[in-house]
Amino acid sequence: MDEQTAGSGGGVGPEADQDVAFVGRGTELSRLLRAVDPASDEPVVVLVGDTGVGKTALLGRVVRRAEARGVRVLRAEGSESESDLVFSALHQLLRRAHAEVDRLPERQSTALRSAFGTGPAVSGPTGAPDPMLIGLAVLSVLSALGDARPLLVVLDDAQWFDRASLDALSFAARRLEGEPVTMVVTARDRDRLPGFDRRTPVIALEPLDGEAANHLLDLQPASPTGLMRTRILDQAGGNPLALVELARAAAARTPGVGSPFTGPLPLPDHLERIFAARLAGLPAAARRALVVLAAMDGIDAGIAFPAGPPDAGDDLWLPAERAGLVRRTGQGLRFRHPLVRSAVYHAASAGERQEAHAALAELVRDEPDRRAWHRAAACSGPDAAVSAELERTADRARRRSGHAAAAHALQRAADLAPRRADSARLLVGAAGAAVPTGDLAWVEELTAAARALTDDPALLASADVQAGRLAVLTVRHTVVFSRLVQASEQLTVSRPAAALDLLTAAAVVRYYSGADTQLRRIEELLGHLAEDPSSTDMRIWVKAVSNPFDDRDRLVSLLPRLAAGAGRQPERLTAFGIMAWLLDETPQAVRAFDEAFDHWESQGQLPEGLGGAVAWAYTERGRWDQARAACARTTAVGLTAGLDHAVACAAAVDATVLAYQGDTTEARSRADEALALIDPLESRSVLVYARRALGAAAAADGAYETAYGLLRSVFTTEGAPLHYHASYPALAELAAAAARCGRRDDAAGVVERAARTLADDASPRLRALISRARGLLAEPEDAEPHFRAALADPVLAHWPFERAQTQLDLAEWLRRRRRITEARKPLMDALETFSRLGARPWMERTRAEARAAGLDATATIPDALAELSPQQRQIVGLAAGGLTNREIGEKLFLSPRTVGSHLYRSFPKLGITARSQLRGLIEGPLTKAAHQE
């Protein structure tokens, strides 16, 4: 829609009558006006309420107030008929922002144009525009418009926005802080807005109270009285539109004929009947025209009537205007309320609706996707040609990252396919397209529908794989695992490749749950599958994910071949990186992830199975800013798709980094968020990671008894790991807390049990952590060999934080033995690492130890960097590397304005005044942190 109006042509959504809007709404209006004030600290607000409560009219008042203050307004309205058209709402919002789109960086402008179907054609799954890049492009456009003058973005009836548009807009909404942009979203139900999480401020329009409802009836031209008023008040239930329309309907009745009403008044949910009744007295031509108008969406109207719809004064439309169904606007003709459009459309017979859609299909011949949907709506039965047309629409939507639109198109194509086999094939395709939406119930519905139509083993296997791919990302690990292995067992003989594919998903569920019974089931099924050279890599994946410390050396020896086989294929590189991380070959994992992302700008809508491995690998490697960026991306995608488990995984990693950096309050908040999203009995991996983060936060605060209790809880009472992979890295921190709170003996039992269990399968990293733990728990005279062993292998430098912790432990031990000269080098090495990482608690402890050893431990540039927020450090590091604000924003999914704001606030903390001073001042420590290989 354009900046000035809520719609054009045949679009819907006019402002309701002013008396409907503002009686009893003073509080909500004031709250909304405060939210859109440029001085407000709420960049996004959601206005929710049932149909008829006055959301659109309140928006109208807000828009007029904003425009009077010189604010630019962009507005889009949801339409049920457009909800399956990929990026239709976003195109509606930005279609007059051509100049700003043209000025975007090439990657962003290309992604946005591709999303709108106006850019260069793309093909193949990895050629689709990156949804995150589209979101960044939207953010950049809004930020640029806001720079010119304050901007108000109004998204009305957002429950009808297509999913792709909602994803892009919610991505931008989460990054509007500090921008001269305010976004107001209206919807009937908050739960219908994926991506707008529950931290977004909400203004709820409740039904009017009795006093306000009576006042509204008093304002009506024919105010009802007596029994009629009582009935209207009772039946309207405080809904303003219901009060007005029921009063109007009562006044319009012929005196003496059925008056007063002999039966109950229509309920608010059935207000469409009131509007539909007004159709009865219209000429046939006017009724047909209204049905066509109701079948249109906003874009259809612009195509059908380029100069605007017929003037409302035409004889054709005057009866409809007199009946209160349509009204004139500056843009032509519009329905007086969304309910009118709904009433007109549904009051028409099926044949009349089909005729309207057939007519519209001819009017939009140059818009193949709109034409396909109108032709589908015009069908009275199966139609192979229209089914094929919808399949092509789905293909175009998928290439533009419109996964929900593609799934809907394939689902409708299946309805219209004359042959059962084609319907089943299309339904399986729809399930695959729906996977990236995160809607497991929908995927399972589609696969169940396909199973009802076919017994084709290939199709059924594909359906199982599609559902399994998404199911592993949910919190239902026990149920999902059972389904996956059952399906795998059934396919073992007939479809061994599909059976193994399902086992790869089951292995991921095993990792998340940590259940040993699941490992035994996986190993049993794997043993029943015939060996096949083409399946070797998938078998290795299953073993590495489900049990990485069983025969670890053999698995590690296979990594070079797997790396070579991955080539430059992003999916295979990512899978290789996950395996390498699980086997504690973190340097190889990080190199694979870096290369994968270099060659794969579109990482897909969903986090991959075990996608948290990326953030953990960057954390272990000392690239904490990149780890937090990976967490932010997973969180954004997980929130959009409604995947709580993915969000929980990201929150646990993020909490760990924050704890290491000394932001213990936020670390605890993030860890608690992770725990709130999962069932601890279903997801031991997240449970362990969150408790480790909480333990690290407690240790950073000096609460060692608390830290020990938390870290001890990631092992069983007998000392076995609660999770076969996630628990072991906590051994050294467990020992450190135990040494400071008198729990040495208990901790030693856990450490030695782990050493016996892992034996020769322990990685060099875990051997180093066990050695450090032994040094911390040993008698003072016996500690040195253990610390030395923990530092002996040069490869351990690839885990810089853990190595620096051991260096500090050794230096403290040496100083207490009065071997001060020997203590100084590990002290300074540890201080440099902690400073570079921004690990404030560890910096302070190391600096105090250095002063005791006679070293100059005054603040350095890396210490000043530690005063920056993690995001500021990341931005400053990239700026020091020569990147522009726009380039930094594209890397971090921020607007250039936000990047500039962070730099502005960072310079005083660094003691500089200009960007040109960054490189010479901090090139060594910070660019090393930001760009470390």
Side-chain angles (χ1 to χ4, degrees):
M1 305 215 167
D2 65 24
E3 298 167 29
Q4 314 302 326
T5 67
S8 63
V12 299
E15 296 175 10
D17 294 340
Q18 296 301 301
D19 53 359
V20 176
F22 304 118
V23 170
R25 296 299 186 211
T27 300
E28 293 90 345
L29 180 60
S30 297
R31 171 77 175 79
L32 192 58
L33 289 172
R34 286 197 304 274
V36 302
D37 188 284
S40 171
D41 58 358
E42 294 179 346
V44 183
V45 65
V46 176
L47 182 66
V48 298
D50 291 334
T51 299
V53 297
K55 300 187 299 295
T56 301
L58 283 176
L59 279 185
R61 174 70 66 89
V62 169
V63 166
R64 288 192 295 275
R65 177 77 64 89
E67 290 176 334
R69 294 177 176 176
V71 175
R72 182 173 185 173
V73 179
L74 290 183
R75 187 165 183 169
E77 278 190 17
S79 168
E80 187 174 4
S81 66
E82 287 193 67
S83 60
D84 291 329
L85 292 170
V86 61
F87 289 114
S88 58
L90 189 61
H91 182 255
Q92 186 187 144
L93 184 75
L94 299 182
R95 64 181 180 176
R96 294 180 183 254
H98 299 300
E100 287 73 18
V101 174
D102 290 341
R103 286 193 287 269
L104 289 174
E106 184 178 356
R107 290 175 65 245
Q108 293 182 39
S109 62
T110 299
L112 198 53
R113 289 195 180 94
S114 180
F116 292 158
T118 59
V122 291
S123 61
T126 60
D130 184 351
M132 306 293 274
L133 192 58
I134 295 170
L136 177 61
V138 174
L139 175 63
S140 298
V141 169
L142 299 183
S143 179
L145 290 169
D147 281 340
R149 75 184 209 239
L151 177 67
L152 173 61
V153 178
V154 175
L155 310 177
D156 197 8
D157 270 340
Q159 75 275 358
W160 296 128
F161 279 21
D162 64 281
R163 180 60 181 271
S165 294
L166 264 181
D167 289 349
L169 289 165
S170 64
F171 177 95
R174 291 191 292 274
R175 290 157 177 81
L176 288 179
E177 186 175 358
E179 299 286 347
V181 180
T182 302
M183 182 180 290
V184 179
V185 187
T186 78
R188 296 179 189 173
D189 184 348
R190 168 65 174 273
D191 293 335
R192 297 287 299 276
L193 295 178
F196 290 89
D197 64 38
R198 298 199 173 274
R199 290 171 289 187
T200 307
V202 173
I203 300 174
L205 290 182
E206 303 293 345
L208 297 178
D209 60 24
E211 181 181 356
N214 271 292
H215 180 50
L216 182 56
L217 288 181
D218 289 340
L219 295 174
Q220 301 313 301
S223 179
T225 59
L227 178 60
M228 182 60 68
R229 174 179 281 247
T230 301
R231 289 182 128 189
I232 290 174
L233 287 169
D234 180 58
Q235 295 296 315
N239 184 287
L241 183 63
L243 288 162
V244 171
E245 293 302 334
L246 290 172
R248 186 175 292 168
R253 297 185 68 84
T254 304
V257 181
S259 181
F261 292 140
T262 56
L265 300 174
L267 295 172
D269 288 345
H270 300 153
L271 280 173
E272 289 183 4
R273 295 178 184 173
I274 295 174
F275 296 118
R278 298 179 191 173
L279 291 169
L282 297 182
R287 289 200 304 271
R288 287 194 297 272
L290 282 173
V291 174
V292 173
L293 197 63
M296 289 183 182
D297 57 43
I299 304 299
D300 286 338
I303 298 167
F305 306 112
D311 184 80
D314 289 354
D315 291 343
L316 183 67
W317 301 106
L318 279 174
E321 185 185 5
R322 293 193 186 104
L325 298 173
V326 296
R327 65 169 56 177
R328 302 173 188 149
T329 73
Q331 294 293 311
L333 196 73
R334 296 166 54 200
F335 285 109
R336 197 173 63 80
H337 190 277
L339 281 178
V340 180
R341 179 189 184 194
S342 177
V344 168
Y345 186 81
H346 291 290
S349 67
E352 289 171 331
R353 290 195 296 268
Q354 290 164 6
E355 288 178 7
H357 283 291
L360 286 170
E362 291 304 307
L363 289 172
V364 297
R365 293 184 67 87
D366 294 334
E367 296 284 329
D369 296 334
R370 297 178 185 281
R371 171 180 165 82
W373 278 107
H374 282 304
R375 289 193 69 196
C379 288
S380 58
D383 190 311
V386 176
S387 177
E389 196 170 339
L390 281 170
E391 191 171 2
R392 291 190 291 272
T393 286
D395 185 54
R396 286 189 292 270
R398 192 158 29 204
R399 293 203 304 268
R400 293 157 59 193
S401 296
H403 304 287
H408 280 298
L410 289 170
Q411 187 175 15
R412 180 63 175 134
D415 292 339
L416 295 175
R419 298 175 61 247
R420 288 170 61 91
D422 287 334
S423 292
R425 173 184 60 80
L426 290 165
L427 285 168
V428 172
V435 165
T437 69
D439 190 339
L440 180 59
W442 186 20
V443 172
E444 291 179 336
E445 173 193 329
L446 291 167
T447 56
R451 290 191 191 97
L453 291 173
T454 183
D455 56 3
D456 183 333
L459 271 179
L460 294 178
S462 179
D464 287 334
V465 170
Q466 300 292 2
R469 180 187 164 207
L470 178 57
V472 300
L473 297 173
T474 71
V475 296
R476 300 158 45 188
H477 299 316
T478 301
V479 172
V480 168
F481 182 85
S482 177
R483 288 183 182 178
L484 290 170
V485 295
Q486 183 179 8
S488 177
E489 186 174 30
Q490 292 171 349
L491 296 169
T492 297
V493 176
S494 63
R495 296 281 168 178
L500 185 55
D501 201 342
L502 289 164
L503 273 189
T504 65
V508 174
V509 178
R510 143 71 174 166
Y511 184 89
Y512 286 147
S513 73
D516 289 338
T517 54
Q518 294 180 356
L519 171 63
R520 291 190 287 273
R521 188 77 174 105
I522 288 172
E523 290 177 338
E524 176 189 349
L525 290 174
L526 203 59
H528 291 161
L529 285 171
E531 294 280 353
D532 181 345
S534 65
S535 66
T536 300
D537 290 359
M538 293 178 72
R539 284 177 169 271
I540 296 170
W541 163 271
V542 172
K543 291 179 179 179
V545 172
S546 61
N547 199 8
F549 296 126
D550 178 37
D551 201 13
R552 176 185 174 276
D553 287 346
R554 186 184 73 84
L555 292 173
V556 169
S557 71
L558 298 172
L559 288 180
R561 182 184 66 76
L562 293 172
R568 298 165 66 89
Q569 301 174 65
E571 296 95 333
R572 296 188 66 179
L573 282 166
T574 301
F576 169 81
I578 290 171
M579 282 190 289
W581 171 73
L582 288 164
L583 295 167
D584 267 343
E585 294 295 317
T586 303
Q588 292 192 63
V590 168
R591 284 195 295 272
F593 294 142
D594 285 346
E595 188 174 356
F597 301 153
D598 284 344
H599 298 303
W600 189 16
E601 292 178 353
S602 176
Q603 298 173 41
Q605 282 280 89
L606 290 183
E608 292 296 319
L610 289 178
V614 176
W616 275 117
Y618 284 137
T619 299
E620 294 169 6
R621 191 68 182 85
R623 292 163 61 167
W624 290 356
D625 292 336
Q626 286 172 279
R628 294 204 69 207
C631 291
R633 180 177 185 118
T634 298
T635 299
V637 174
L639 287 172
T640 297
L643 297 174
D644 287 349
H645 195 268
V647 176
C649 290
V653 188
D654 206 30
T656 303
V657 176
L658 288 164
Y660 291 162
Q661 293 181 322
D663 191 349
T664 56
T665 299
E666 183 62 18
R668 279 188 282 270
S669 175
R670 293 289 278 151
D672 289 343
E673 178 184 343
L675 292 172
L677 290 169
I678 56 102
D679 179 344
L681 298 178
E682 288 273 309
S683 185
R684 280 185 247 179
S685 59
V686 173
L687 174 66
V688 167
Y689 285 133
R691 287 181 177 174
R692 281 174 51 187
L694 290 169
D701 287 339
Y704 295 112
E705 185 75 41
T706 300
Y708 183 76
L710 287 162
L711 294 167
R712 182 63 178 82
S713 71
V714 307
F715 298 90
T716 67
T717 304
E718 296 76 21
L722 194 63
H723 187 275
Y724 64 94
H725 182 267
S727 292
Y728 286 127
L731 287 168
E733 292 183 340
L734 172 74
R740 289 168 172 78
C741 69
R743 303 296 188 95
R744 292 175 185 269
D745 290 344
D746 182 55
V750 176
V751 171
E752 295 309 319
R753 175 168 179 158
R756 291 192 302 272
T757 301
L758 291 168
D760 293 339
D761 283 320
S763 65
R765 176 203 181 195
L766 287 181
R767 286 197 293 270
L769 291 175
I770 290 171
S771 293
R772 179 190 171 212
R774 285 170 167 165
L776 289 163
L777 299 172
E779 294 298 325
E781 62 272 15
D782 300 327
E784 183 176 11
H786 298 300
F787 290 137
R788 297 289 185 189
L791 294 168
D793 191 338
V795 75
L796 299 176
H798 293 304
W799 289 266
F801 183 61
E802 294 171 0
R803 185 175 180 83
Q805 289 175 307
T806 307
Q807 288 170 328
L808 177 57
D809 291 334
L810 174 61
E812 288 176 332
W813 185 89
L814 289 169
R815 190 185 66 79
R816 283 160 178 71
R817 307 273 79 74
R818 299 186 182 280
R819 294 161 61 179
I820 293 175
T821 301
E822 293 178 72
R824 287 174 176 170
K825 185 178 188 313
L827 270 175
M828 294 309 292
D829 288 346
L831 182 57
E832 190 280 330
T833 299
F834 293 142
S835 298
R836 173 169 57 80
L837 295 175
R840 293 185 186 91
W842 294 89
M843 289 164 53
E844 293 165 4
R845 179 177 150 192
T846 308
R847 191 176 293 119
E849 191 67 27
R851 285 193 294 268
L855 294 170
D856 179 9
T858 55
T860 63
I861 287 300
D863 298 324
L865 294 173
E867 298 305 314
L868 304 179
S869 72
Q871 189 169 68
Q872 286 172 342
R873 292 183 66 249
Q874 190 174 16
I875 289 170
V876 168
L878 294 168
L883 273 66
T884 65
N885 288 5
R886 192 179 287 276
E887 290 168 336
I888 295 170
E890 200 160 293
K891 275 185 172 290
L892 303 183
F893 298 102
L894 300 171
S895 74
R897 180 189 180 90
T898 298
V899 172
S901 177
H902 279 299
L903 287 173
Y904 178 80
R905 294 196 297 271
S906 300
F907 284 5
K909 299 177 184 179
L910 296 173
I912 62 176
T913 58
R915 192 189 198 98
S916 59
Q917 297 172 273
L918 280 175
R919 182 181 293 274
L921 185 63
I922 58 175
E923 184 174 26
L926 192 57
T927 54
K928 183 178 180 182
H931 300 290
Q932 184 179 19
E933 294 298 328

